[in-house]
Amino acid sequence: MDLERLRHGPPHPLRAILMAFPIALFSLALATDVAYLRTEQLQWTNFSAWAIVGALLGGAGVFVWSLVEVVRSGFRPALNGAWLHHVLVLVFCLLGLVNSFQHSRDGWSSVGTTGLVLSILSLLAALGAAWILHSRGGAAEASR
């Protein structure tokens, strides 16, 4: 295994594609939450809920990939940001799951302040994980 390539190499293309789904769909969920809060049209909450589920499906692939990397590394912390990436992946998956439960509620209580804050935090965690993944000193690609 070439350690220099692991530290500075780009992410595997499939992993980069999987990482795009949570970013795009959490962004869409946030936009539809704002649309609901401005218009009070109930269909926006349904759209948000489906976008969050889609983000979680894409995020599940990223999470499994990340989990395989952690196991393959022997649970040794890396100094190149890999563990922060793994933690952020776990955080956006958990926040997204709680957000999905929140959006499954009825009417105003499905979005409100809690749903909006969860959508923002999910998106920020996904953006942080993607930033670390694509940065030169980012997460190691042990599965390549």
Side-chain angles (χ1 to χ4, degrees):
M1 189 179 320
D2 181 12
L3 291 178
E4 192 62 30
R5 180 185 57 80
L6 290 177
R7 264 189 224 121
H8 300 293
H12 190 279
L14 180 58
R15 186 174 187 186
I17 290 169
L18 287 174
M19 192 68 227
F21 282 97
I23 293 170
L25 293 171
F26 280 140
S27 298
L28 179 62
L30 178 59
T32 55
D33 283 350
V34 170
Y36 173 72
L37 292 174
R38 295 180 60 83
T39 65
E40 296 181 15
Q41 295 292 322
L42 197 55
Q43 189 60 31
W44 289 117
T45 63
N46 296 332
F47 200 24
S48 290
W50 282 106
I52 293 165
V53 168
L56 286 175
L57 288 174
V62 176
F63 178 73
V64 168
W65 199 303
S66 184
L67 190 62
V68 167
E69 273 191 2
V70 169
V71 171
R72 286 185 68 189
S73 74
F75 300 97
R76 290 186 311 270
L79 299 176
N80 59 359
W83 279 87
L84 181 57
H85 169 75
H86 301 315
V87 167
L88 285 173
V89 167
L90 178 64
V91 166
F92 85 68
C93 286
L94 291 176
L95 284 172
L97 184 63
V98 172
N99 198 13
S100 180
F101 293 149
Q102 177 68 26
H103 278 77
S104 68
R105 298 173 74 184
D106 232 6
W108 177 259
S109 64
S110 69
V111 178
T113 305
T114 306
L116 185 65
V117 168
L118 285 170
S119 291
I120 292 169
L121 293 176
S122 299
L123 177 60
L124 290 176
L127 286 171
W131 184 274
I132 291 170
L133 178 66
H134 290 288
S135 67
R136 286 199 45 87
E141 278 293 322
S143 60
R144 240 213 261 191

